[in-house]
Amino acid sequence: LQPVAIAALTVAVLLAARPSPAVILTADDAIGIAQGISVTPAPGWTLGNRGSNWVALNNADGSAQLRVAVKPASGTDPAAVLQTDMDQYTSSAGLSNLSNMSGPNTQPVQSTNFQQEASVDYTADVPSAQGTIPVLGTFSELLNTANGRSAFIDFRQNNNATPQAVGDGAMMIRSLE
């Protein structure tokens, strides 16, 4: 496998296994998104952009990005909500040659904010000033079945990302829960 493929598979394994983070981040570092949901950036990650209900974080060298949008869910099935959000997001995000590497993986989540999670690994091309850049990523949906709120997450990295980016992404996603 190529290093980028190994990194994408590692994201899936990290998210599924939910290991304890190696670095404990404090709530003081959290960036509010919407409706009481916040994300804690990993060390070296910065806020790249934000909207009224979303944030985009970038690692120090720009080789990885995490985008999180908090919104009302379009249903109660986490895989169906994820598919709806993927369809809407990919049509507006400039992703081309999108290819899902896995079917939706769903699992329960024991957290304060969400009870269900669905995720899909993907490859795509992203436009840049230097042309298109191939990326590997994971689309995830965290769903609160009690209040109908969800968080749609796009974690992606290009072939310059280090294995640390994968761990950082998993840690930041856990901070949403």
Side-chain angles (χ1 to χ4, degrees):
L1 287 175
Q2 302 232 347
V4 176
I6 292 169
L9 293 174
T10 303
V11 169
V13 170
L14 285 173
L15 292 176
R18 301 269 183 224
S20 298
V23 177
I24 304 298
L25 300 173
T26 66
D28 294 339
D29 298 323
I31 297 171
I33 303 170
Q35 302 170 347
I37 305 296
S38 61
V39 62
T40 303
W45 285 67
T46 58
L47 180 63
N49 207 345
R50 76 173 312 137
S52 62
N53 68 337
W54 63 272
V55 297
L57 304 171
N58 302 305
N59 68 348
D61 66 5
S63 62
Q65 179 185 44
L66 179 81
R67 185 181 187 279
V68 181
V70 176
K71 68 216 170 5
S74 60
T76 57
D77 175 1
V81 174
L82 174 61
Q83 187 62 56
T84 298
D85 287 345
M86 285 170 45
D87 292 344
Q88 291 175 353
Y89 178 70
T90 56
S91 67
S92 65
L95 298 174
S96 60
N97 297 322
L98 180 68
S99 177
N100 291 351
M101 295 173 47
S102 67
N105 174 28
T106 60
Q107 63 186 8
V109 176
Q110 300 302 317
S111 77
T112 304
N113 296 315
F114 302 102
Q115 295 80 39
Q116 295 289 322
E117 177 182 16
S119 61
V120 171
D121 297 329
Y122 72 90
T123 61
D125 292 329
V126 178
S128 76
Q130 296 79 26
T132 58
I133 299 172
V135 295
L136 276 170
T138 301
F139 292 125
S140 301
E141 192 83 42
L142 296 171
L143 180 62
N144 184 317
T145 54
N147 66 15
R149 180 175 45 203
S150 71
F152 175 70
I153 304 158
D154 176 18
F155 172 79
R156 69 175 81 153
Q157 61 184 9
N158 66 32
N159 60 0
N160 293 324
T162 66
Q164 179 66 41
V166 172
D168 289 350
M171 185 180 351
M172 291 185 290
I173 292 169
R174 280 194 309 273
S175 80
L176 293 163
E177 298 174 358

